Amino acid sequence: MIRKSALLLSAVTFLGTPAFSADADLTIFDWAGFEVDGLFTDYVAKHGQKPTFALFGDDDEAFQKVASGFRVDGVHPCSQMVSKYRDAGLIEPWDTSKIPAFNDIYPEMLDSEIFKDDKGVWFLPSYWGVTAVAYNTETVPAEDVASLQVFVSPKYQGRISLPDSSDDVWSLAYLATGVTDWTNVTEEQYQAAADWLRKAHENVYHYWADPADQIQQMAAGAVSISWSWNDGVALLQAENFPVGFQREAKEGSATFTCGFVNMKDGPGSEEKLYDFVNSWIRADAAQPLLDEMGYGHSNQKGMESIDQATLLKAGLQEISAPTLAQVPNDPKLRERQLAEFEKIKAGF
């Protein structure tokens, strides 16, 4: 069996290009690493092959590419990006009558007028995850990751990594400075978070572009602590690396939801696009998604079939610590955060 980390490494080599050319009638622009066989069982059974995948490692990168004319049938953004796709006129509503499992999706995942309004359903939730503290349990005592201030601790200078993702680093900075709702951020809160990020930047060994990049640095021993998604932790666990996943730092952790948008005038088959998303969000897809990527599925019935020990290992258990939900926020604030993040990485 090919190791999952090797699969992910080969996938990200082709970021932004049709990495897996298969069914020419359907092209999906997706996160690297989500070419999990169990997600496409029904699609392959019907059509004999997977769709063609083009891969990306960052939400803003993906949006810029399709906004510049890259033509695909479906894209897999996270929820805070949906308003950008709508405002740019790039997507059209889903016909939920063609999606048998639609009513099995957790209702709270659609609780936004950006996702669902009187014009239709614009966002089809597929999975949810968390961003929290991954750490090497052999070199980092558990008490050190009891607070997010570990990212600015002189003890770990040059030994931490952060995602090269504006949304994710700002979720960390807001949590670390006491903000758990980024839909209503004051100027004072924004400045405090920016100042904290600058301090964290002084400790950063590496900004990782994707989980394969992240786990290479941790496995090599260069990085001891990382602000991490579920899949990086799942990949390290699969390699028997001593990794912990701290969601209950006293300041909390972040959660996010991702899903599919239906590109307007896609070049491929609309019928096959519905076959694809139906295979993805069926209840039986929850287990392979969790096994391979460590993420929670949007299908409530599918998640109810998974035991609590498995959820705990993946970091998907209920927690008592604060949570910042990466829901849609002010697009102007997102653009400001993105610009500020670039300045911080450049040392300004």
Side-chain angles (χ1 to χ4, degrees):
M1 179 178 178
I2 300 174
R3 289 186 176 184
K4 286 183 284 186
S5 55
L7 281 173
L8 193 51
L9 281 168
S10 65
V12 298
T13 304
F14 300 96
L15 284 177
T17 65
F20 295 95
S21 293
D23 192 335
D25 291 334
L26 183 66
T27 301
I28 302 296
F29 202 17
D30 209 340
W31 294 93
F34 276 90
E35 311 77 46
V36 175
D37 288 343
L39 299 175
F40 317 122
T41 302
D42 289 4
Y43 186 92
V44 173
K46 183 173 181 178
H47 299 291
Q49 57 188 339
K50 293 182 183 180
T52 291
F53 285 100
L55 304 177
F56 61 85
D58 176 79
D59 255 330
D60 288 293
E61 167 209 332
F63 174 79
Q64 291 300 329
K65 186 152 188 173
V66 295
S68 298
F70 182 52
R71 298 189 69 213
V72 295
D73 300 298
V75 185
H76 200 182
C78 292
S79 63
Q80 66 271 17
M81 296 294 296
V82 178
S83 59
K84 294 190 72 170
Y85 284 85
R86 287 194 63 176
D87 292 346
L90 294 170
I91 61 176
E92 61 187 13
W94 292 99
D95 182 349
T96 58
S97 70
K98 297 179 180 179
I99 305 173
F102 179 76
N103 290 330
D104 296 333
I105 293 173
Y106 287 99
E108 56 266 34
M109 288 187 172
L110 287 164
D111 188 18
S112 169
E113 290 187 356
I114 294 172
F115 307 154
K116 182 181 179 182
D117 61 14
D118 56 2
K119 295 180 181 178
V121 173
W122 300 87
F123 177 64
L124 188 63
S126 59
Y127 75 95
W128 61 278
V130 302
T131 316
V133 185
Y135 65 102
N136 186 326
T137 58
E138 292 184 348
T139 61
V140 180
E143 57 267 27
D144 284 7
V145 293
S147 168
L148 297 182
Q149 304 312 318
V150 70
F151 287 98
V152 296
S153 168
K155 179 178 179 179
Y156 292 101
Q157 186 171 17
R159 295 173 59 195
I160 73 167
S161 69
L162 298 177
D164 194 5
S165 163
S166 176
D167 287 323
D168 290 303
V169 296
W170 281 92
S171 73
L172 170 61
Y174 284 131
L175 282 165
T177 53
V179 175
T180 57
D181 179 1
W182 71 3
T183 65
N184 189 26
V185 175
T186 67
E187 180 64 22
E188 182 180 8
Q189 290 171 330
Y190 173 86
Q191 292 297 339
D195 290 344
W196 189 91
L197 265 185
R198 284 186 165 82
K199 292 179 183 177
H201 173 75
E202 295 176 5
N203 279 359
V204 172
Y205 173 81
H206 182 65
Y207 287 98
W208 53 266
D210 53 74
D213 188 20
Q214 174 199 9
I215 67 173
Q216 279 185 306
Q217 301 297 331
M218 292 196 74
V223 167
S224 299
I225 300 169
S226 181
W227 189 236
S228 177
W229 303 329
N230 301 68
D231 47 358
V233 173
L235 290 164
L236 287 166
Q237 289 174 341
E239 301 291 341
N240 295 316
F241 184 83
V243 61
F245 198 34
Q246 169 62 290
R247 286 192 62 200
E248 298 195 79
K250 68 177 183 179
E251 300 91 346
S253 55
T255 62
F256 58 88
T257 299
C258 303
F260 291 100
V261 291
N262 186 354
M263 298 299 290
K264 189 181 296 182
D265 301 321
S269 166
E270 187 82 352
E271 177 184 350
K272 288 186 176 182
L273 178 60
Y274 279 91
D275 289 340
F276 170 80
V277 297
N278 282 329
S279 183
W280 225 108
I281 67 167
R282 74 190 198 283
D284 288 349
Q287 190 70 57
L289 175 67
L290 185 55
D291 289 344
E292 296 293 318
M293 304 295 293
Y295 287 119
H297 202 277
S298 63
N299 189 305
Q300 187 169 357
K301 290 182 179 178
M303 289 301 293
E304 288 171 352
S305 69
I306 297 172
D307 64 87
Q308 289 299 309
T310 302
L311 296 177
L312 180 62
K313 182 180 178 182
L316 298 178
Q317 77 281 13
E318 292 187 11
I319 64 171
S320 57
T323 299
L324 185 151
Q326 292 183 207
V327 296
N329 56 352
D330 184 349
K332 292 182 179 179
L333 176 61
R334 285 195 75 253
E335 292 303 317
R336 185 182 182 192
Q337 290 172 174
L338 181 61
E340 191 74 8
F341 181 43
E342 292 302 318
K343 288 169 60 178
I344 290 169
K345 287 191 296 180
F348 297 104

